[in-house]
Amino acid sequence: MSVFNTSEVEISTFFLVGIPGMEHAHIWVSIPICFVYLLAILGNCTILFFIKTETSLHEPMYYFLSMLAFSDLGLSISSLPTMLRIFLFNATGISPDACFAQEFFIHGFSAMESSVLFIMCMDRLIAIYSPLRYTSILASARVFKIGLVSAIKSILLVFPFPFILKRLKFCRKSLLSHSYCLHQDVMKLACSDNKVNVIYGLFVALTAMLDLMCISVSYTWILKIVLGIASHKGRLKVLNTCISHTCAVLIFYVPVITLAIIHRFAKNASPVVRVIVADTFLLVPPLMNPIVYSVKSQQIRNLILTKLCKRQG
């Protein structure tokens, strides 16, 4: 079946891609992908379970971690259907409405993760700058409001995406560049004017970059406070509280920025590179964040080890 429609009749199906040139090996590629999805969903559900059930984790930092786990879980579940259909069954077709719905959820949970990473950075800044007032500043009610505002902001930010895509006409090209639907990828296929999509897509991207800039400024402030601590041991102790969050920021933003650069400046880049970077953006953060926080957070690590020891006993 041809994936291009050269007539002016509006197309009814988009076609996603697996790994170009490796279609014959998709069934083998699906094994590690399924394993990664399983670990990511299990890991984030475990984090959410412990934070909900263990009173020792009912603290602002862990509430924010539960928000991060929730957004990671959403990212995994949003991309799971098309990724598995492609690599397990070589089924690449997707209807426009399903595609628009998927890109809404993927961009929505991505925006939520970006916001949560900024909030977590502010949490660390408050804990280091004003430790005595930390619990009063970040009371449970305020944490709940911050999380609710973050979620509403993320939804409202990407809410127009499906509608501004719906108004476009797709009549010539139907082959997308990734294993799932992204706004910037879909809008390029349009045979009608997509200026509104380009402008609004740029606005959403700049919003994410604003989160990253605020995180950078916050860490500059944190470093300034750390350098003012006299003892070497004290500096290491303070910096150690930020390592998990720093890893989460790098794990999330490095693939996002790399993918944006490829879309904008490396249009002739190998399709394989583009697909691998795009898949990394959705597969790696949900997998690695629970691992990083389980390793670096002594409370979570001890709870997991205690549960494991009880089962073995």
Side-chain angles (χ1 to χ4, degrees):
M1 181 186 291
S2 173
V3 294
F4 293 94
N5 191 328
T6 56
S7 72
E8 293 300 317
V9 177
E10 196 163 354
I11 62 171
S12 59
T13 305
F14 292 128
F15 291 88
L16 301 164
V17 297
I19 300 177
M22 291 186 63
E23 288 81 3
H24 62 283
H26 276 178
I27 190 66
W28 298 109
V29 176
S30 69
I31 296 172
I33 287 177
C34 288
F35 186 64
V36 168
Y37 270 120
L38 181 64
L39 286 179
I41 292 171
L42 181 64
N44 285 292
C45 285
T46 301
I47 294 287
L48 289 170
F49 173 77
F50 279 131
I51 292 173
K52 179 177 173 55
T53 57
E54 298 293 333
T55 53
S56 61
L57 299 182
H58 291 177
E59 299 175 9
M61 181 177 75
Y62 296 107
Y63 288 142
F64 294 135
L65 176 57
S66 69
M67 296 177 201
L68 183 67
F70 178 76
S71 60
D72 279 335
L73 201 57
L75 272 178
S76 293
I77 294 171
S78 299
S79 60
L80 182 65
T82 54
M83 292 277 279
L84 293 189
R85 282 178 69 238
I86 290 168
F87 290 103
L88 278 175
F89 308 110
N90 277 325
T92 59
I94 184 171
S95 69
D97 287 341
C99 188
F100 301 159
Q102 185 184 49
E103 61 88 22
F104 167 76
F105 285 110
I106 288 176
H107 286 293
F109 283 114
S110 298
M112 191 182 297
E113 181 141 350
S114 180
S115 296
V116 171
L117 287 171
F118 168 59
I119 293 168
M120 293 177 80
C121 183
M122 294 306 298
D123 168 75
R124 291 298 83 205
L125 178 60
I126 293 169
I128 293 168
Y129 181 74
S130 186
L132 298 178
R133 296 178 58 211
Y134 175 72
T135 52
S136 60
I137 293 172
L138 292 176
S140 296
R142 186 168 292 168
V143 169
F144 176 78
K145 289 177 183 176
I146 290 171
L148 186 61
V149 169
S150 171
I152 292 172
K153 184 211 95 172
S154 302
I155 292 169
L156 292 178
L157 189 64
V158 302
F159 188 73
F161 273 166
F163 300 101
I164 59 178
L165 284 175
K166 189 81 173 173
R167 56 180 278 278
L168 299 176
K169 290 190 179 296
F170 302 92
C171 50
R172 295 190 186 93
K173 296 182 290 184
S174 58
L175 183 64
L176 295 166
S177 306
H178 307 305
S179 306
Y180 50 86
C181 295
L182 291 178
H183 176 261
Q184 62 268 34
D185 196 21
V186 176
M187 72 178 185
K188 290 178 182 177
L189 302 182
C191 54
S192 57
D193 185 18
N194 65 358
K195 285 181 182 177
V196 172
N197 300 73
V198 172
I199 293 169
Y200 192 73
L202 181 61
F203 169 73
V204 173
L206 289 175
T207 304
M209 288 302 101
L210 181 62
D211 286 338
L212 182 58
M213 286 177 61
C214 291
I215 290 171
S216 302
V217 170
S218 299
Y219 267 111
T220 302
W221 197 348
I222 288 172
L223 283 173
K224 186 178 178 181
I225 295 170
V226 169
L227 291 174
I229 298 173
S231 74
H232 180 68
K233 187 177 180 180
R235 290 180 188 176
L236 290 177
K237 185 178 179 181
V238 171
L239 285 174
N240 191 51
T241 65
C242 299
I243 289 176
S244 300
H245 180 262
T246 306
C247 291
V249 170
L250 292 174
I251 288 166
F252 178 74
Y253 278 106
V254 169
V256 169
I257 293 171
T258 304
L259 186 61
I261 290 171
I262 289 173
H263 268 283
R264 183 67 183 86
F265 301 108
K267 295 177 181 177
N268 295 324
S270 167
V272 175
V273 173
R274 191 182 296 118
V275 167
I276 290 174
V277 172
D279 290 351
T280 299
F281 156 59
L282 284 191
L283 290 173
V284 172
L287 171 68
M288 292 304 299
N289 285 337
I291 295 173
V292 168
Y293 277 95
S294 296
V295 170
K296 292 303 298 177
S297 171
Q298 186 175 355
Q299 284 176 279
I300 294 177
R301 187 173 67 247
N302 289 343
L303 284 169
I304 292 172
L305 291 174
T306 301
K307 294 287 184 184
L308 290 173
C309 290
K310 280 184 179 178
R311 286 187 179 182
Q312 287 178 358

